[in-house]
Amino acid sequence: MLDLKRVLAVGAAASLSLLVASAAFAQSTLETVKKRGHIICGVNVGLGGFSLPDSQGKWAGLDIDMCNAVAAAVLGDATKAKYVPLSAQQRFLALQSGEIDVLLRNSTITLQRDAGLGIQYSGINFYDGQAFMVSKKLGVKGLAELAGATICVAQGTTHEFNMASWFRARNLQIKTVVFESQDVMYEAFFSGRCDAMTQDSSALASALATRGKQADYMTLPELISKEPLGPFVRRGDDVWNAVVRWSLFAMLEAEERGITKANVDEQLKSTDATVQRLLGVTPGNGKALQLEENWAYNIIKQIGNYGESFERNVGQGSPLKLDRGANALWTKGGLMYPIPLR
């Protein structure tokens, strides 16, 4: 005979699974954004080159461009984006709770974050590494010379653990001063409370550029960690994850193909099959992503390709003046490698 209780239990479990799956589908972030009419991105409270508002409240930066690119892909309008400034401690909870649609806050991708927080990364839009800044007056040339120094670090980041591990492995003692936010840390460091400060190298460059202190401070040459930065979305929302991921790849593919804001309309006439598919002349990619076929065209026309975004925000055309380095295309010695858009 059948065990009635077991049959009922199995049936209940199956029904619950269907309900969960249905609920997840009904709550797809892509559908939510389409109905709402704008995307909500979690960004840094203020990091020049990545996400920073000007005196009129207009935001700009590499991460802002990424957010706007998704808005252009989904809604056809890069201006249909709202930004929620988040501290390091707030950022992941804001994504988990649904307060934001995507986290674009110069956040390092790690196994624990990608697998253990109910979120997942959608790509890498900047390769970085942890560095240290000192006053030029100290005469320090290398990281090992900071033995016994007092070092400022921001709470809720990977930097505290990385720093402790690096110095411990070399039997070097340091004094750590932890601050609740990066802005408080910056002010403490520049007021002389610490001998050195640690952050992603790009963030240190931003701190110097926005404060005009390049003449008095320097970043030491060593990088002690890999800090790949990129967007995060909620785990299980595969459709939305694909949209965010391929928005980034579209910008990289456009750079590789030499397609820019200025020439994208002319490129619509290209006979190159890859370009035709990228720009939606040949249909298929839009349908696969549940978007309009011109989704990538909208990104390039309104934002530009990745190289254009890099140059105006953090490259030589910006106050940060960062070299492309690892963020160059794979064809030019970098790590940026767009997956085929076909």
Side-chain angles (χ1 to χ4, degrees), residues 7-241:
V7 171
L8 291 174
V10 171
S15 298
L16 180 59
S17 296
L18 288 172
L19 285 172
V20 171
S22 298
F25 178 79
Q27 295 171 5
S28 166
T29 304
L30 177 60
E31 291 304 315
T32 299
V33 170
K34 286 180 177 180
K35 291 176 182 177
R36 186 199 299 135
H38 65 266
I39 182 176
I40 303 174
C41 298
V43 300
N44 199 299
V45 294
L47 180 62
F50 289 84
S51 55
L52 184 70
D54 62 18
S55 57
Q56 283 75 46
K58 180 177 174 57
W59 288 78
L62 194 73
D63 285 340
I64 297 298
D65 277 358
M66 185 70 240
C67 173
N68 294 346
V70 179
V74 176
L75 302 168
D77 187 345
T79 67
K80 292 184 176 179
K82 293 187 177 182
Y83 319 109
V84 177
L86 299 168
S87 68
Q89 296 93 325
Q90 296 169 330
R91 54 184 166 175
F92 298 120
L93 180 59
L95 180 60
Q96 294 163 340
S97 67
E99 179 183 351
I100 59 176
D101 302 315
V102 57
L103 178 65
L104 280 156
R105 192 203 172 282
N106 61 298
S107 299
T108 301
I109 297 160
T110 68
L111 184 151
Q112 292 291 332
R113 289 175 175 177
D114 184 60
L117 297 180
I119 61 177
Q120 62 186 116
Y121 78 97
S122 302
I124 298 171
N125 72 332
F126 194 86
Y127 287 93
D128 212 340
Q130 184 175 340
F132 292 75
M133 181 181 291
V134 296
S135 169
K136 291 181 179 180
K137 293 180 180 179
L138 290 181
V140 173
K141 303 300 182 183
L143 196 50
E145 296 177 47
L146 291 180
T150 299
I151 304 178
C152 290
V153 64
Q155 188 178 32
T157 67
T158 57
H159 305 129
E160 188 175 2
F161 172 80
N162 293 339
M163 175 175 64
S165 298
W166 193 92
F167 283 97
R168 187 185 306 115
R170 290 157 180 79
N171 294 317
L172 301 175
Q173 301 297 316
I174 57 171
K175 300 173 184 177
T176 302
V177 182
V178 181
F179 295 89
E180 62 181 9
S181 73
Q182 63 183 16
D183 287 335
V184 175
M185 176 187 70
Y186 291 150
E187 294 307 315
F189 172 71
F190 289 121
S191 66
R193 183 171 175 184
C194 303
D195 302 310
M197 172 174 64
T198 187
Q199 253 280 14
D200 290 346
S201 62
S202 61
L204 294 178
S206 174
L208 285 186
T210 55
R211 291 166 174 78
K213 294 183 177 292
Q214 295 96 326
D216 301 317
Y217 296 86
M218 62 178 287
T219 300
L220 297 177
E222 298 105 318
L223 297 179
I224 68 168
S225 70
K226 294 177 290 185
E227 304 292 334
L229 312 178
F232 282 86
V233 299
R234 284 178 287 279
R235 181 165 291 281
D237 199 345
D238 295 340
V239 173
W240 182 242
N241 186 40

